[in-house]
């Protein structure tokens, strides 16, 4: 069975537009880094919780704020790479990606709770990690869905070109409506 243009179902295969995926991955990295900074500013400035900042460093903290933001951006890029790999190698990339991201985010949430710091710092770090993980997972997953494409397989035989306007006048053009 073929479609209107003569393509057989085996003539196309699912694929991914790598440029769109990675452009979205870079944008997600920027969002993740900014989320880390906003989370730290809220924890330190509004709730006065010393998250990743030694005493006396103020609301902005020290270089650990930059490091935290860069790690969040790196995680977003790693998530994009994972999605790219899963998209070309597995039958259900979104499912596998979702499970992997849930488990990685769970690790990022539980890990700060095991540290020997003030309970408020543990909770604030866990919440920031949760928000960053969920946002990265959601954005990369939706962005990958919009970057999915169908690629034509190269074959020995050639497929006929789509009908021209002149051919349409000789027969009824394709329509979505049915005769009554």
């Amino acid at each position: 069975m073929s479609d209107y243009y003569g393509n057989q179902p085996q003539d196309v295969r699912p694929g991914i537009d790598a440029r769109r995926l990675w452009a979205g991955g870079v944008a997600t990295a920027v969002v993740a880094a900014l989320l880390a900074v906003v989370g730290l500013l809220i924890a330190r400035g509004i709730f006065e919780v010393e998250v990743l900042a030694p005493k006396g460093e103020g609301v902005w903290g020290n270089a650990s704020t930059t490091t935290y933001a860069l790690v969040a951006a790196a995680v977003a890029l790693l998530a994009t790479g994972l999605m790219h790999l899963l998209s070309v190698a597995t039958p259900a990339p979104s499912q596998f990606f979702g499970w992997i991201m849930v488990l990685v985010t769970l690790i990022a949430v539980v890990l700060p709770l095991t540290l020997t710091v003030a309970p408020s710092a543990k909770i604030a770090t866990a919440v920031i990690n949760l928000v960053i993980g969920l946002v990265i997972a959601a954005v990369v997953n939706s962005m990958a869905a919009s970057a999915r494409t169908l690629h034509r397989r190269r074959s020995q035989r050639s497929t006929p070109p789509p009908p021209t306007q002149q051919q349409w006048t000789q027969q009824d053009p394709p329509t979505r409506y049915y005769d009554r």
Side-chain angles (χ1 to χ4, degrees):
M1 185 166 135
S2 65
D3 67 6
Y4 181 77
Y5 296 108
N7 293 325
Q8 299 296 324
Q10 65 270 18
D11 289 345
V12 293
R13 62 177 170 74
I16 191 104
D17 183 347
R19 280 188 225 141
R20 287 185 69 190
L21 178 71
W22 283 98
V26 169
T28 305
V30 172
V31 169
L34 291 172
L35 268 174
V37 171
V38 168
L40 291 175
L41 287 173
I42 290 171
R44 292 176 187 162
I46 296 174
F47 295 109
E48 297 178 0
V49 176
E50 294 177 10
V51 179
L52 302 176
K55 291 187 182 288
E57 287 293 332
V59 172
W60 190 251
N62 59 6
S64 63
T65 300
T66 304
T67 304
Y68 197 63
L70 290 174
V71 168
V75 169
L77 292 174
L78 286 171
T80 303
L82 174 66
M83 179 54 95
H84 193 175
L85 175 67
L86 293 172
S87 293
V88 297
T90 64
S94 292
Q95 268 188 329
F96 288 112
F97 180 77
W99 275 105
I100 292 168
M101 287 304 294
V102 163
L103 294 171
V104 168
T105 301
L106 188 59
I107 291 168
V109 168
V110 171
L111 190 63
L113 300 174
T114 65
L115 301 176
T116 55
V117 294
S120 59
K122 290 179 183 185
I123 293 169
T125 305
V127 169
I128 294 169
N129 290 350
L130 176 65
V131 171
I132 292 170
L134 292 177
V135 168
I136 289 172
V139 172
V140 170
N141 201 18
S142 67
M143 159 193 72
S146 72
R148 286 198 177 87
T149 61
L150 290 176
H151 296 291
R152 291 187 120 187
R153 293 182 191 223
R154 296 173 193 236
S155 63
Q156 298 278 335
R157 62 181 180 86
S158 64
T159 58
T164 63
Q165 185 70 10
Q166 183 181 17
Q167 291 171 330
W168 280 0
T169 58
Q170 296 169 358
Q171 65 185 26
D172 290 336
T175 179
R176 292 178 46 183
Y177 303 104
Y178 299 102
D179 293 332
R180 292 184 185 186

